[in-house]
Amino acid sequence: NINNMRKKATRLVRETQLNDIEEKFRDNFLLDFKIKRPFYLNHNHKDFYNQIRNKETNMVFVDGPAGSAKTYIAIYAALEELREEKVDKVIYIRSVIESAAKSLGSLPGEVDDKFLPYAMPLLEKVREITSDSTCTILKNRGMIEAIPVNFVRGLTFNNCVVIVDEAQNLTKGELTTILTRFGRKTKYIVCGDTHQSDINKSGFSEVYQKFSTVDCIENGISSFRFGNSEIVRSKILRYICKILGA
C-alpha cells in the first residue's frame, strides 16, 4: 500500500510538472505568435480590415469578385484578434462541395478528413500569414477550426471569430442557421461573391441586402462591396473578371 501511495504521489507530481510545462509553452507560444505584414491593400481593403478590428463590430459582410482578398483580410484580422487574446478561437465555415445541400455522409471521426479539402483556404492563408509550424500548432490546439455547414445546427459560438466563406453557395436557410448561432464576445465575417454561386437558390444576395441598412450599422453590422479594383491575385484575373462581368 505504501509503495502504491508513493507511485501515485510520484505520478501526480509528474502530471503537475507536465501541466506547468504545457502552460508555460502555451504562454510563450502566444507571445511568439508572429504575423507577417500584409501585402498591398487599397483604401477599401483597409476600411474592411479596420471595421473587423473595431471593438464595436459584431458582424461584417463583404461581397466581391474572386481574388479581391476577402478571405485573406478576414483571416488576417481574425488571427490578430486571436493573437491579442480577444477571442479563443477562429472558426471557418463553408459549404460542402459545390452544393451546401449535400451531406458529407461521415461517421464521427471521419469529418475532419473528408472536409479537409474544403478547409484548405483557411489553412493555406494561415500558413501564408504566419508559418507552417504556427498553423500546425493552432490547428492541433483547436484554436483554428473548420466546420462544414451541415454540422452547425445546434451549436453556439462564444468568444470567437466566425468566418463564413463562399457564402454565395449557401441558401437563405443555411445562412440563417449560421447567423443565429451567434453567442457572446463573437464576431462574424461573411464573405461571398454574388456572381459565382454554384447553387440555384443562393441566399447570400438577399441576406446581404437585409443587413445593409443604417439600423444595422447602429447595431455593429457593416456591409462592404469590392470591385475589380480590389482584385490583387493577379493582373490577368482582373482583366478576366472585367471581360466576364464578374
Side-chain angles (χ1 to χ4, degrees):
N1 288 337
I2 293 176
N3 287 335
N4 288 337
M5 291 176 65
R6 286 176 177 171
K7 289 179 180 179
K8 186 176 181 180
T10 301
R11 186 169 63 250
L12 289 173
V13 170
R14 287 177 178 173
E15 289 177 355
T16 301
Q17 290 174 338
L18 288 173
N19 288 336
D20 289 342
I21 292 172
E22 174 79 9
E23 186 174 344
K24 288 179 180 178
F25 177 80
R26 182 177 67 250
D27 292 342
N28 289 333
F29 166 71
L30 290 173
L31 290 172
D32 295 334
F33 179 5
K34 305 294 184 183
I35 292 181
K36 301 171 186 175
R37 294 186 63 183
F39 54 74
Y40 170 77
L41 301 178
N42 70 15
H43 180 72
N44 288 338
H45 288 136
K46 291 176 181 176
D47 283 348
F48 175 50
Y49 164 83
N50 289 332
Q51 194 60 53
I52 296 172
R53 295 284 282 151
N54 189 322
K55 65 179 182 179
E56 302 298 326
T57 293
N58 293 312
M59 192 181 304
V60 184
F61 287 82
V62 60
D63 179 12
S68 57
K70 304 182 299 293
T71 306
Y72 174 89
I73 296 171
I75 293 174
Y76 192 99
L79 287 173
E80 290 198 319
E81 295 277 314
L82 184 64
R83 182 184 60 177
E84 295 169 12
E85 300 183 66
K86 294 180 178 178
V87 295
D88 294 331
K89 179 182 289 190
V90 175
I91 295 175
Y92 178 84
I93 301 173
R94 62 171 291 182
S95 63
V96 177
I97 316 180
E98 290 80 14
S99 172
K102 290 187 178 181
S103 170
L104 285 175
S106 301
L107 296 172
E110 295 181 341
V111 176
D112 286 346
D113 292 337
K114 289 192 176 184
F115 188 60
L116 182 61
Y118 314 108
M120 286 309 295
L122 168 68
L123 301 178
E124 177 188 77
K125 286 175 175 59
V126 171
R127 292 190 185 101
E128 179 183 350
I129 293 166
T130 60
S131 66
D132 289 349
S133 59
T134 296
C135 180
T136 299
I137 292 171
L138 291 173
K139 183 176 182 296
N140 290 343
R141 288 181 173 276
M143 299 173 78
I144 58 171
E145 182 180 1
I147 302 176
V149 64
N150 314 67
F151 289 76
V152 168
R153 188 177 298 277
L155 300 178
T156 299
F157 299 125
N158 292 315
N159 203 34
C160 59
V161 175
V162 177
I163 299 171
V164 184
D165 204 9
E166 303 293 347
Q168 75 277 1
N169 288 336
L170 299 171
T171 66
K172 181 182 177 182
E174 287 160 341
L175 280 167
T176 299
T177 297
I178 294 170
L179 299 184
T180 53
R181 303 301 94 198
F182 203 107
R184 296 175 290 102
K185 298 181 179 179
T186 291
K187 289 187 181 185
Y188 268 62
I189 310 169
V190 184
C191 306
D193 179 356
T194 51
H195 295 287
Q196 284 198 333
S197 176
D198 295 315
I199 62 175
N200 293 326
K201 295 183 179 180
S202 172
F204 176 63
S205 180
E206 181 181 350
V207 172
Y208 177 93
Q209 293 298 329
K210 285 181 178 292
F211 285 98
S212 299
T213 66
V214 174
D215 186 56
C216 285
I217 293 174
E218 293 174 353
N219 282 277
I221 302 174
S222 301
S223 299
F224 289 83
R225 195 178 296 278
F226 286 173
N228 286 354
S229 61
E230 276 71 57
I231 296 176
V232 294
R233 187 175 296 164
S234 65
K235 289 183 178 179
I236 188 63
L237 178 58
R238 188 179 299 178
Y239 178 73
I240 290 170
C241 288
K242 177 182 176 181
I243 295 297
L244 295 176

